[in-house]
Amino acid sequence: MTERHTFGGNLNPITCHAWNKDRSQIAISPNNHEVHIYKREGAADWKLLDVLNQHDLRVMGIDWAPNTNRIVTCAVDRNAYVWTQGEDSKWKPALVLLRINRAATCVKWSPLENKFAVGSGARLISVCYFEQENDWWVSKHIKKPIRSTVTSLDWHPNNILLVAGSTDYKVRVFSAYIKDIEKQPEPTAWGAKMPLGQLMGEFKHSERGGGWVHSVSFSADGNRICWTGHDAAIKVADASNGMLITKIRTPYLPFLCCEWISPRSVVVAGHSCMPLIYSIGDENEISLTAKLDQTQKKEAAGLSAMRIFKSLDRNLRTENTDTSLESIHQNAIACLRIFGGSKASVSSISTSGLDGQLVIWDLNSLTRSMQGLKL
């Protein structure tokens, strides 16, 4: 049902990870300036193939283009690199001209892999593409009306629109059209006029602030976006339904990542250390469908938090010496990726966390026994 992996014999926090096309190799950042490339050997063994160490400060984002087999990384050192594999199987870096004066925080390849977007603390998004004449990667900026650090990005399936979440409590949909390399885009539910930087939609996470936006995701058809904030709320906006916003406030700790796994379901994960599936009903209500982590043994046995405290009091104990969580991940989940399938129908996901673990979750086997599940 689940696979648990660690790398290099240690449990350094994993900031982010990305898979190659056939999922035989993985790129991870062990919470420093390096990116490690591992190849899977057998069921549980991993072989270190290469270490990408061009960055000077902590790597914040990794994305691996499946078709062109290029890796893009960004870091706190304000740089991004596009890595290509040479004939000797070693990865060679190419510097990207981001033109930012603050840390790069996130990066994402477009669906056609002819450009990528980098979010930063400079209150802007760098849309980067390869300039054939000068043989280098250049960028164009999307600035207004971003007021704070961009924390998360995702691309619309049409390769043009881009959704961004930021620490000004806003989620925005922009046009990232680069006329030098692309044809005129077709109209979408978000609008028809799409020059670079055009604001196609703007959503406030909460009228009372609601905290930073941690993660954003476009649905498979591109008509919906989902996002999570630091108040542990989940919101969905539907462009095909008059920009209708649906939300739910959850009792969990803040979610750091979200991803669509079907046209009506999303998976979220974060400080609660377990992935959760939420589904959108016929009346556009959002409800919890499944907890992917089924290791809650004490909870299943009926030992609630109140009973634990009563037991401690009865035995005159003032502290609980149990330092392990009742979950597979022992610390916050920082990164979530699709492992099998696509956003239209995801069969498995992978999560990595501050506990140094990578966990692969088989959604089909984990949810098969749950009645009434509508993915």
Side-chain angles (χ1 to χ4, degrees), residues 72-94:
V72 61
T73 61
C74 69
V76 179
D77 61 5
R78 302 170 295 172
N79 290 325
Y81 291 94
V82 174
W83 302 80
T84 54
Q85 201 168 20
E87 294 180 358
D88 58 354
S89 297
K90 293 295 182 182
W91 292 88
K92 308 295 191 299

Side-chain angles (χ1 to χ4, degrees), residues 15-16 29 32 55 57-62 72-81 95-108 116-126 128 141 149-153:
T15 307
C16 47
S29 175
N32 59 23
H55 288 289
L57 296 173
R58 186 159 68 104
V59 172
M60 298 294 290
I62 308 171
V72 61
T73 61
C74 69
V76 179
D77 61 5
R78 302 170 295 172
N79 290 325
Y81 291 94
L95 180 65
V96 182
L97 301 179
L98 290 181
R99 298 182 293 121
I100 58 176
N101 58 6
R102 294 291 186 273
T105 54
C106 51
V107 63
K108 194 88 170 182
F116 59 88
V118 179
S120 71
R123 299 184 298 178
L124 59 84
I125 301 167
S126 296
C128 309
H141 287 170
T149 299
V150 177
T151 56
S152 180
L153 297 165

